Amino acid sequence: MDDGTGGRGPASGDRLKHSSKPWNDAATVAQSLATSMASAKTELAAGNNGVAKGTEGLASTAVLKEVLTSWDKRLESARAECQSLAPALRAASGAQGESDAGVRGKVDGIRTPGAHGKEG
């Protein structure tokens, strides 16, 4: 018998589920990556201290400096992106939960013929 839901079961907000855990987990990972990138920048700089003095006169010194600068910029860009992503993911979690609650309230108010054994 067709219950008016296209075979998907009764029209009910009970099937609308939202979990903030994946969003919050992703935010935690993004923050962790931002911290790791900051540490990597520090280690990169420390590992290259004094290299210019030890390689004076070598053509590779300028190339090494370019590579160091390039990696420093990349790490900073990745760190900044992760840093800004963490709060955005947490905000998305909250917004999704609020949206789900609003939709659930509207869906619960819909009665279709045959839903829950009664006519709406």
Side-chain angles (χ1 to χ4, degrees), residues 48 51-52 55 59-72:
N48 283 279
V51 171
T55 58
S60 62
T61 303
V63 173
L64 181 59
K65 177 70 174 158
E66 286 178 32
V67 170
L68 175 61
T69 301
S70 172
W71 273 105
D72 186 66

Side-chain angles (χ1 to χ4, degrees), residues 1-13:
M1 175 176 198
D2 183 5
D3 63 2
T5 64
R8 294 182 305 272
S12 170

Side-chain angles (χ1 to χ4, degrees), residues 13-66:
D14 294 338
R15 295 184 310 135
L16 295 175
K17 303 288 183 199
H18 167 74
S19 171
S20 61
K21 185 176 179 352
W23 295 96
N24 290 328
D25 287 352
T28 299
V29 169
Q31 188 60 54
S32 178
L33 284 170
T35 301
S36 294
M37 295 296 162
S39 296
K41 279 185 61 165
T42 300
E43 290 178 32
L44 182 64
N48 283 279
N49 278 342
V51 171
K53 286 184 181 180
T55 58
E56 282 179 13
L58 297 177
S60 62
T61 303
V63 173
L64 181 59
K65 177 70 174 158
E66 286 178 32

